[in-house]
Amino acid sequence: MNTKLFTNCLALLAGIFIISSCAKNEMISTPETTISTGAQKLLNEGYIYTQANGIFDNAIFTFAIQQDGSLELVNQMSTGGSGTGEGLGSQGSVTLNENHSMLFVTNAGDNTLSSFMVNSDGLLTLAGIVETEGKLPISVTSFGQYVYVLNSKSDNIAGFKVDAIGGLSLMPGSVQPLSQEGADPAQIEFSPNGKNLIVTEKATSRITIFQLNPQGIAVKSISHGSKGKTPFGFEFSNKSVFVVTNAAEGVENKSSATSYQLTGPQGPGVVSGPVKNLQSASCWIAISKKANTIAYITNTGSDNISSYSVSNMGQLSLLQSVATTTAAGPIDVVVAGPDEKYVIELSAEGQTIGVYSRNTDGSLTLVDAVIDLPALSFAGLATF
């Protein structure tokens, strides 16, 4: 199989990472900006955020999506924390809140979480940094005034409340363990109604669901075996259905996806799958929700993207085993732009960000590629 960056998806399994960097990030000065209550897209089609994950000084890069689909780097700035210089093996290390007024970034190197206010021009103002109450934070999620982070090495989650100026404070009682030590988690995400947290565990092939009390505290968890080995990234296609990628322990051409109905704290019910895509190391996922609902999955071991249709009830059907080829080692992926007309993916080994236009048959057409990313260990994509 193609193993060029599969380890970045499955170092996840063995705790071995293959991308490293020892060079300090050269930072571009950040212009003075005014904090707004919510960002507005100005003269472009939106913004993309990704973190460099640099060892000495982590940085967040901001790209503007131009009207022709090309990307323009508009700023980079320090997160105030440090990265690992290696692949994170996770989905959601960079995330926006619901109204795009705040951005949250994990700093896996020094076990901190940074919060930013998003300005009207898409630029950022650092609002706060907090310790994550665990080791190796790799994924973060937001709902209303609550933020939860997933700590991979300590196999736990921790919850924080956001104040009026974007600062974070730990919520007592919110630090909760995963199903067991060595769970090797991949992602944490709120359910659309904010009443549950879902965590995928790669090493155990489990999905752990936490119930939240009215104060936003995770108070109860139940773990369930996943239908498909090595569950990794996931996203909700509607208010109750979520689709999970299955990396299948890295076995060549055995990756798949499974959809689940979130039935409450008693656990998810399988709707469809595992539906195979004949590719290797399917890890990251993004779902378009306008017009036809289509899931796009990056196949890190195959250097391509697969597409699935998702029905209103959550039934999965493979559209394109290879919707497009990518640069080496595609990882994070998002659907972006007005009417979700673009799919944007980060290829860590190829050190590129690729922009693709969406076609009705599920295939993708390359529009632009940013190919001059610094030789760092970029991770995470967030967009609005």
PDB file of all heavy atoms in Angstrom, residues 75-101:
ATOM      1  N   ASN A  75      -2.656  36.309   6.578  1.00  0.00           N
ATOM      2  CA  ASN A  75      -1.981  36.555   7.851  1.00  0.00           C
ATOM      3  C   ASN A  75      -1.541  35.245   8.478  1.00  0.00           C
ATOM      4  O   ASN A  75      -2.083  34.181   8.190  1.00  0.00           O
ATOM      5  CB  ASN A  75      -2.909  37.274   8.836  1.00  0.00           C
ATOM      6  CG  ASN A  75      -2.167  37.814  10.045  1.00  0.00           C
ATOM      7  OD1 ASN A  75      -1.117  38.428   9.909  1.00  0.00           O
ATOM      8  ND2 ASN A  75      -2.700  37.580  11.217  1.00  0.00           N
ATOM      9  N   GLN A  76      -0.519  35.317   9.316  1.00  0.00           N
ATOM     10  CA  GLN A  76      -0.191  34.242  10.237  1.00  0.00           C
ATOM     11  C   GLN A  76       0.189  34.890  11.551  1.00  0.00           C
ATOM     12  O   GLN A  76       0.742  35.984  11.591  1.00  0.00           O
ATOM     13  CB  GLN A  76       0.948  33.360   9.704  1.00  0.00           C
ATOM     14  CG  GLN A  76       2.333  33.983   9.786  1.00  0.00           C
ATOM     15  CD  GLN A  76       3.421  33.060   9.292  1.00  0.00           C
ATOM     16  OE1 GLN A  76       3.702  33.034   8.100  1.00  0.00           O
ATOM     17  NE2 GLN A  76       4.027  32.308  10.188  1.00  0.00           N
ATOM     18  N   MET A  77      -0.176  34.213  12.642  1.00  0.00           N
ATOM     19  CA  MET A  77       0.151  34.774  13.945  1.00  0.00           C
ATOM     20  C   MET A  77       0.338  33.663  14.960  1.00  0.00           C
ATOM     21  O   MET A  77      -0.172  32.546  14.790  1.00  0.00           O
ATOM     22  CB  MET A  77      -0.927  35.744  14.414  1.00  0.00           C
ATOM     23  CG  MET A  77      -2.269  35.132  14.743  1.00  0.00           C
ATOM     24  SD  MET A  77      -3.478  36.357  15.318  1.00  0.00           S
ATOM     25  CE  MET A  77      -2.688  36.947  16.825  1.00  0.00           C
ATOM     26  N   SER A  78       1.070  33.939  16.014  1.00  0.00           N
ATOM     27  CA  SER A  78       1.345  32.958  17.045  1.00  0.00           C
ATOM     28  C   SER A  78       0.071  32.611  17.808  1.00  0.00           C
ATOM     29  O   SER A  78      -0.772  33.467  18.061  1.00  0.00           O
ATOM     30  CB  SER A  78       2.402  33.497  18.009  1.00  0.00           C
ATOM     31  OG  SER A  78       2.584  32.607  19.097  1.00  0.00           O
ATOM     32  N   THR A  79      -0.024  31.349  18.193  1.00  0.00           N
ATOM     33  CA  THR A  79      -1.119  30.925  19.061  1.00  0.00           C
ATOM     34  C   THR A  79      -0.784  31.181  20.528  1.00  0.00           C
ATOM     35  O   THR A  79      -1.648  31.039  21.393  1.00  0.00           O
ATOM     36  CB  THR A  79      -1.405  29.427  18.898  1.00  0.00           C
ATOM     37  OG1 THR A  79      -0.273  28.673  19.351  1.00  0.00           O
ATOM     38  CG2 THR A  79      -1.723  29.077  17.449  1.00  0.00           C
ATOM     39  N   GLY A  80       0.463  31.506  20.804  1.00  0.00           N
ATOM     40  CA  GLY A  80       0.902  31.668  22.178  1.00  0.00           C
ATOM     41  C   GLY A  80       1.296  30.358  22.831  1.00  0.00           C
ATOM     42  O   GLY A  80       1.698  30.326  23.992  1.00  0.00           O
ATOM     43  N   GLY A  81       1.193  29.263  22.075  1.00  0.00           N
ATOM     44  CA  GLY A  81       1.563  27.943  22.574  1.00  0.00           C
ATOM     45  C   GLY A  81       2.523  27.271  21.627  1.00  0.00           C
ATOM     46  O   GLY A  81       3.029  27.886  20.676  1.00  0.00           O
ATOM     47  N   SER A  82       2.781  25.990  21.845  1.00  0.00           N
ATOM     48  CA  SER A  82       3.691  25.249  20.980  1.00  0.00           C
ATOM     49  C   SER A  82       3.039  23.963  20.503  1.00  0.00           C
ATOM     50  O   SER A  82       2.181  23.384  21.181  1.00  0.00           O
ATOM     51  CB  SER A  82       5.007  24.934  21.708  1.00  0.00           C
ATOM     52  OG  SER A  82       4.775  24.112  22.831  1.00  0.00           O
ATOM     53  N   GLY A  83       3.452  23.539  19.303  1.00  0.00           N
ATOM     54  CA  GLY A  83       2.962  22.297  18.742  1.00  0.00           C
ATOM     55  C   GLY A  83       3.943  21.169  18.974  1.00  0.00           C
ATOM     56  O   GLY A  83       4.882  21.284  19.757  1.00  0.00           O
ATOM     57  N   THR A  84       3.736  20.068  18.249  1.00  0.00           N
ATOM     58  CA  THR A  84       4.592  18.891  18.405  1.00  0.00           C
ATOM     59  C   THR A  84       5.621  18.761  17.297  1.00  0.00           C
ATOM     60  O   THR A  84       6.586  18.018  17.441  1.00  0.00           O
ATOM     61  CB  THR A  84       3.752  17.611  18.422  1.00  0.00           C
ATOM     62  OG1 THR A  84       3.081  17.474  17.168  1.00  0.00           O
ATOM     63  CG2 THR A  84       2.740  17.647  19.565  1.00  0.00           C
ATOM     64  N   GLY A  85       5.393  19.445  16.166  1.00  0.00           N
ATOM     65  CA  GLY A  85       6.259  19.247  15.019  1.00  0.00           C
ATOM     66  C   GLY A  85       6.044  17.907  14.355  1.00  0.00           C
ATOM     67  O   GLY A  85       6.825  17.494  13.506  1.00  0.00           O
ATOM     68  N   GLU A  86       4.980  17.217  14.722  1.00  0.00           N
ATOM     69  CA  GLU A  86       4.658  15.900  14.187  1.00  0.00           C
ATOM     70  C   GLU A  86       3.169  15.832  13.888  1.00  0.00           C
ATOM     71  O   GLU A  86       2.390  16.661  14.351  1.00  0.00           O
ATOM     72  CB  GLU A  86       5.024  14.813  15.193  1.00  0.00           C
ATOM     73  CG  GLU A  86       6.481  14.795  15.584  1.00  0.00           C
ATOM     74  CD  GLU A  86       6.749  13.824  16.718  1.00  0.00           C
ATOM     75  OE1 GLU A  86       5.899  13.715  17.623  1.00  0.00           O
ATOM     76  OE2 GLU A  86       7.810  13.184  16.687  1.00  0.00           O
ATOM     77  N   GLY A  87       2.781  14.826  13.114  1.00  0.00           N
ATOM     78  CA  GLY A  87       1.369  14.666  12.811  1.00  0.00           C
ATOM     79  C   GLY A  87       0.539  14.447  14.058  1.00  0.00           C
ATOM     80  O   GLY A  87       0.961  13.748  14.978  1.00  0.00           O
ATOM     81  N   LEU A  88      -0.655  15.017  14.115  1.00  0.00           N
ATOM     82  CA  LEU A  88      -1.517  14.883  15.283  1.00  0.00           C
ATOM     83  C   LEU A  88      -2.424  13.655  15.213  1.00  0.00           C
ATOM     84  O   LEU A  88      -2.909  13.180  16.225  1.00  0.00           O
ATOM     85  CB  LEU A  88      -2.380  16.138  15.459  1.00  0.00           C
ATOM     86  CG  LEU A  88      -1.633  17.427  15.792  1.00  0.00           C
ATOM     87  CD1 LEU A  88      -2.626  18.576  15.938  1.00  0.00           C
ATOM     88  CD2 LEU A  88      -0.798  17.269  17.053  1.00  0.00           C
ATOM     89  N   GLY A  89      -2.678  13.144  14.011  1.00  0.00           N
ATOM     90  CA  GLY A  89      -3.561  11.992  13.890  1.00  0.00           C
ATOM     91  C   GLY A  89      -4.937  12.240  14.449  1.00  0.00           C
ATOM     92  O   GLY A  89      -5.490  11.392  15.156  1.00  0.00           O
ATOM     93  N   SER A  90      -5.520  13.409  14.135  1.00  0.00           N
ATOM     94  CA  SER A  90      -6.827  13.762  14.704  1.00  0.00           C
ATOM     95  C   SER A  90      -7.603  14.642  13.752  1.00  0.00           C
ATOM     96  O   SER A  90      -7.036  15.226  12.825  1.00  0.00           O
ATOM     97  CB  SER A  90      -6.646  14.507  16.036  1.00  0.00           C
ATOM     98  OG  SER A  90      -6.090  15.797  15.803  1.00  0.00           O
ATOM     99  N   GLN A  91      -8.903  14.736  13.973  1.00  0.00           N
ATOM    100  CA  GLN A  91      -9.738  15.702  13.275  1.00  0.00           C
ATOM    101  C   GLN A  91     -10.221  16.735  14.286  1.00  0.00           C
ATOM    102  O   GLN A  91     -10.584  16.396  15.405  1.00  0.00           O
ATOM    103  CB  GLN A  91     -10.943  15.013  12.625  1.00  0.00           C
ATOM    104  CG  GLN A  91     -11.871  15.977  11.880  1.00  0.00           C
ATOM    105  CD  GLN A  91     -12.800  15.268  10.907  1.00  0.00           C
ATOM    106  OE1 GLN A  91     -12.375  14.422  10.144  1.00  0.00           O
ATOM    107  NE2 GLN A  91     -14.081  15.625  10.940  1.00  0.00           N
ATOM    108  N   GLY A  92     -10.203  18.035  13.881  1.00  0.00           N
ATOM    109  CA  GLY A  92     -10.767  19.075  14.728  1.00  0.00           C
ATOM    110  C   GLY A  92      -9.782  19.765  15.642  1.00  0.00           C
ATOM    111  O   GLY A  92     -10.181  20.259  16.695  1.00  0.00           O
ATOM    112  N   SER A  93      -8.510  19.858  15.259  1.00  0.00           N
ATOM    113  CA  SER A  93      -7.560  20.587  16.108  1.00  0.00           C
ATOM    114  C   SER A  93      -7.729  22.097  15.984  1.00  0.00           C
ATOM    115  O   SER A  93      -7.195  22.856  16.798  1.00  0.00           O
ATOM    116  CB  SER A  93      -6.119  20.201  15.764  1.00  0.00           C
ATOM    117  OG  SER A  93      -5.748  20.653  14.474  1.00  0.00           O
ATOM    118  N   VAL A  94      -8.468  22.536  14.978  1.00  0.00           N
ATOM    119  CA  VAL A  94      -8.834  23.943  14.783  1.00  0.00           C
ATOM    120  C   VAL A  94     -10.330  23.988  14.546  1.00  0.00           C
ATOM    121  O   VAL A  94     -10.838  23.253  13.695  1.00  0.00           O
ATOM    122  CB  VAL A  94      -8.095  24.559  13.578  1.00  0.00           C
ATOM    123  CG1 VAL A  94      -8.502  26.012  13.370  1.00  0.00           C
ATOM    124  CG2 VAL A  94      -6.580  24.435  13.740  1.00  0.00           C
ATOM    125  N   THR A  95     -11.056  24.825  15.299  1.00  0.00           N
ATOM    126  CA  THR A  95     -12.507  24.869  15.097  1.00  0.00           C
ATOM    127  C   THR A  95     -13.052  26.262  15.357  1.00  0.00           C
ATOM    128  O   THR A  95     -12.511  27.023  16.154  1.00  0.00           O
ATOM    129  CB  THR A  95     -13.221  23.848  16.018  1.00  0.00           C
ATOM    130  OG1 THR A  95     -14.578  23.685  15.591  1.00  0.00           O
ATOM    131  CG2 THR A  95     -13.208  24.305  17.466  1.00  0.00           C
ATOM    132  N   LEU A  96     -14.133  26.595  14.662  1.00  0.00           N
ATOM    133  CA  LEU A  96     -14.870  27.849  14.860  1.00  0.00           C
ATOM    134  C   LEU A  96     -16.131  27.575  15.670  1.00  0.00           C
ATOM    135  O   LEU A  96     -16.682  26.471  15.629  1.00  0.00           O
ATOM    136  CB  LEU A  96     -15.264  28.450  13.512  1.00  0.00           C
ATOM    137  CG  LEU A  96     -14.141  29.073  12.672  1.00  0.00           C
ATOM    138  CD1 LEU A  96     -14.504  29.028  11.199  1.00  0.00           C
ATOM    139  CD2 LEU A  96     -13.868  30.508  13.104  1.00  0.00           C
ATOM    140  N   ASN A  97     -16.616  28.599  16.385  1.00  0.00           N
ATOM    141  CA  ASN A  97     -17.919  28.458  17.033  1.00  0.00           C
ATOM    142  C   ASN A  97     -19.034  28.660  16.011  1.00  0.00           C
ATOM    143  O   ASN A  97     -18.782  28.918  14.829  1.00  0.00           O
ATOM    144  CB  ASN A  97     -18.047  29.409  18.223  1.00  0.00           C
ATOM    145  CG  ASN A  97     -18.061  30.876  17.817  1.00  0.00           C
ATOM    146  OD1 ASN A  97     -17.852  31.225  16.654  1.00  0.00           O
ATOM    147  ND2 ASN A  97     -18.300  31.752  18.779  1.00  0.00           N
ATOM    148  N   GLU A  98     -20.283  28.555  16.472  1.00  0.00           N
ATOM    149  CA  GLU A  98     -21.411  28.534  15.525  1.00  0.00           C
ATOM    150  C   GLU A  98     -21.550  29.800  14.704  1.00  0.00           C
ATOM    151  O   GLU A  98     -21.890  29.742  13.518  1.00  0.00           O
ATOM    152  CB  GLU A  98     -22.733  28.269  16.267  1.00  0.00           C
ATOM    153  CG  GLU A  98     -22.800  26.938  16.994  1.00  0.00           C
ATOM    154  CD  GLU A  98     -22.667  27.080  18.481  1.00  0.00           C
ATOM    155  OE1 GLU A  98     -21.696  27.712  18.936  1.00  0.00           O
ATOM    156  OE2 GLU A  98     -23.549  26.570  19.192  1.00  0.00           O
ATOM    157  N   ASN A  99     -21.333  30.966  15.302  1.00  0.00           N
ATOM    158  CA  ASN A  99     -21.507  32.210  14.537  1.00  0.00           C
ATOM    159  C   ASN A  99     -20.193  32.770  14.012  1.00  0.00           C
ATOM    160  O   ASN A  99     -20.140  33.910  13.562  1.00  0.00           O
ATOM    161  CB  ASN A  99     -22.230  33.261  15.381  1.00  0.00           C
ATOM    162  CG  ASN A  99     -21.396  33.745  16.559  1.00  0.00           C
ATOM    163  OD1 ASN A  99     -20.279  33.285  16.777  1.00  0.00           O
ATOM    164  ND2 ASN A  99     -21.943  34.681  17.325  1.00  0.00           N
ATOM    165  N   HIS A 100     -19.146  31.954  14.077  1.00  0.00           N
ATOM    166  CA  HIS A 100     -17.840  32.297  13.498  1.00  0.00           C
ATOM    167  C   HIS A 100     -17.202  33.520  14.139  1.00  0.00           C
ATOM    168  O   HIS A 100     -16.374  34.182  13.532  1.00  0.00           O
ATOM    169  CB  HIS A 100     -17.962  32.513  11.978  1.00  0.00           C
ATOM    170  CG  HIS A 100     -18.741  31.449  11.282  1.00  0.00           C
ATOM    171  ND1 HIS A 100     -19.700  31.722  10.330  1.00  0.00           N
ATOM    172  CD2 HIS A 100     -18.718  30.102  11.427  1.00  0.00           C
ATOM    173  CE1 HIS A 100     -20.235  30.582   9.910  1.00  0.00           C
ATOM    174  NE2 HIS A 100     -19.657  29.588  10.560  1.00  0.00           N
ATOM    175  N   SER A 101     -17.573  33.806  15.368  1.00  0.00           N
ATOM    176  CA  SER A 101     -16.981  34.947  16.059  1.00  0.00           C
ATOM    177  C   SER A 101     -15.747  34.556  16.868  1.00  0.00           C
ATOM    178  O   SER A 101     -14.998  35.422  17.319  1.00  0.00           O
ATOM    179  CB  SER A 101     -18.005  35.593  17.000  1.00  0.00           C
ATOM    180  OG  SER A 101     -18.402  34.678  18.015  1.00  0.00           O
TER     181      SER A 101
END
